[in-house]
Amino acid sequence: MTTLFISDLHLAANRPDITTCFLNFLHCEAIDADALYILGDLFEFWTGDDDPTPFASQIRQALHALTTHGVPVYFIQGNRDFLLGETFCQQTGVILLPDVTEIDLYGQRAVILHGDTLCTDDERYQAFRRKVHQPWLQWLFKRLPWRLRTRIVSKVQHDIRDDKQTKSMTIMDVNAQEVATVMAQHHVNLMIHGHTHRPAIHEDTYEGSRQTRIVLGDWYEQASILYVDKSGYSLKQHALTHNNEQCEID
Ligand code: LP5
Ligand code: MN
């Protein structure tokens, strides 16, 4: 049996190819898994659990079908779906985990997270994150009418769209010291995260012990899935059409 990890799908109504790939993945692969971990940015942007669109309902239904089948699905919020909350979890059976969570993977301890908090050199982003994570602001925002919320999000996205172009790739990557600190705090040698869209398995030696950091990729052009079982792990990229033929949903 296998445990699956994914992140950064950026699902959106205007990318039905990614949605189909995700639905097929749930239907064909996740259905037989020990567990599925979604490490943030499942959605391009999640404006609130009361999202009334058919697109959101389709995703909720598919996750509900999987958890009802008996597969545990765990979710860590990303920087694009930090407003996903308990209502979504009640509707789908998905379990929301703290931003940084320790898990046991077939006898090996690991720390899992979205990855944005590791990018400590990106000070503008970290300041922005602190703002939008303020509980009072989220409380207020969630009480605004749905259409007004979507307009505010579009406006903020529009206003900051050029901001990333001014940052170097190094600033937008993880900070090595922060990675070491988080692994030391949790006494683990394995870390799994997404966010940077730079899929890789990094093997390092830190203070005499071997450490592994697995970075999941995004799903813009291909699906990125980490498979973990008793014998080890494998990070794979599949075409978005990967499961289309053998496992199409009726
Ligand atoms: O996801 P990716 O890789 O594209 O970029 C991220 C960082 N960008 C973001 C921005 C979000 O995707 C868009 C959010 C819209 C939010 C609407 C908020 C509505 C209010 C909610 C209130 C509860 O996460 C990007 C990183 C990059 O990862 C790599 O790590 O660099 O960071 C940015 O681009 C952010 C800018 O650097 C910061 C700009 C400051 C803007 C200040 C606006 C204040 C708005 C306050 C809202 C009330
Ligand atoms: Mn992200």
Side-chain angles (χ1 to χ4, degrees):
M1 291 284 275
T2 308
T3 297
L4 305 172
F5 292 82
I6 56 174
S7 72
D8 302 283
L9 287 81
H10 295 258
L11 297 177
N14 65 359
R15 284 295 306 266
D17 53 339
I18 308 178
T19 302
T20 301
C21 184
F22 176 59
L23 296 177
N24 286 345
F25 160 75
L26 295 184
H27 192 65
C28 305
E29 295 196 66
I31 200 86
D32 296 318
D34 282 331
L36 168 64
Y37 287 87
I38 303 172
L39 302 188
D41 288 4
L42 175 64
F43 295 102
E44 178 69 4
F45 200 84
W46 186 252
T47 310
D49 290 352
D50 55 344
D51 186 331
T53 59
F55 160 73
S57 300
Q58 192 182 23
I59 305 300
R60 280 192 285 255
Q61 275 166 20
L63 287 168
H64 184 254
L66 185 63
T67 60
T68 305
H69 187 79
V71 180
V73 179
Y74 301 100
F75 191 97
I76 289 182
Q77 295 169 335
N79 57 298
R80 288 161 172 268
D81 40 27
F82 59 88
L83 293 171
L84 188 144
E86 285 305 330
T87 304
F88 182 90
C89 292
Q90 279 157 19
Q91 290 166 341
T92 57
V94 167
I95 298 161
L96 194 58
L97 297 176
D99 284 353
V100 183
T101 296
E102 256 175 71
I103 58 168
D104 181 283
L105 272 176
Y106 307 100
Q108 178 167 24
R109 302 290 300 163
V111 66
I112 58 172
L113 65 168
H114 177 57
D116 56 332
T117 50
L118 298 170
C119 303
T120 51
D121 297 329
D122 194 344
E123 290 172 6
R124 281 178 63 74
Y125 169 68
Q126 297 301 337
F128 171 77
R129 186 181 191 279
R130 280 193 294 277
K131 267 196 200 92
V132 297
H133 274 259
Q134 295 174 105
W136 70 267
L137 185 59
Q138 291 193 5
W139 185 90
L140 208 66
F141 186 74
K142 285 175 181 174
R143 274 152 190 83
L144 298 175
W146 164 258
R147 288 190 66 78
L148 176 58
R149 264 180 283 150
T150 55
R151 283 213 296 276
I152 293 173
V153 169
S154 300
K155 168 91 173 74
V156 175
Q157 284 173 327
H158 178 266
D159 290 351
I160 68 174
R161 74 185 185 286
D162 295 331
D163 210 77
K164 267 174 71 179
Q165 317 310 325
T166 65
K167 300 179 192 177
S168 71
M169 289 300 275
T170 314
I171 280 179
M172 289 192 288
D173 203 352
V174 300
N175 174 290
Q177 185 53 54
E178 185 63 15
V179 169
T181 302
V182 174
M183 286 174 96
Q185 276 167 353
H186 292 271
H187 309 286
V188 296
N189 291 320
L190 176 61
M191 173 183 273
I192 304 170
H193 71 84
H195 181 67
T196 59
H197 302 194
R198 302 178 211 194
I201 300 184
H202 301 273
E203 305 277 2
D204 283 310
T205 302
Y206 185 74
E207 293 181 351
S209 68
R210 207 174 106 138
Q211 296 196 324
T212 304
R213 180 170 63 92
I214 303 178
V215 188
L216 306 168
D218 64 73
W219 284 42
Y220 281 131
E221 305 299 337
Q222 69 289 303
S224 174
I225 303 166
L226 173 68
Y227 301 82
V228 182
D229 63 21
K230 281 191 198 106
S231 58
Y233 39 78
S234 149
L235 179 62
K236 292 196 177 144
Q237 313 289 331
H238 298 298
L240 287 178
T241 51
H242 172 53
N243 281 310
N244 273 8
E245 275 167 28
Q246 68 270 39
C247 199
E248 209 153 4
I249 298 172
D250 303 328

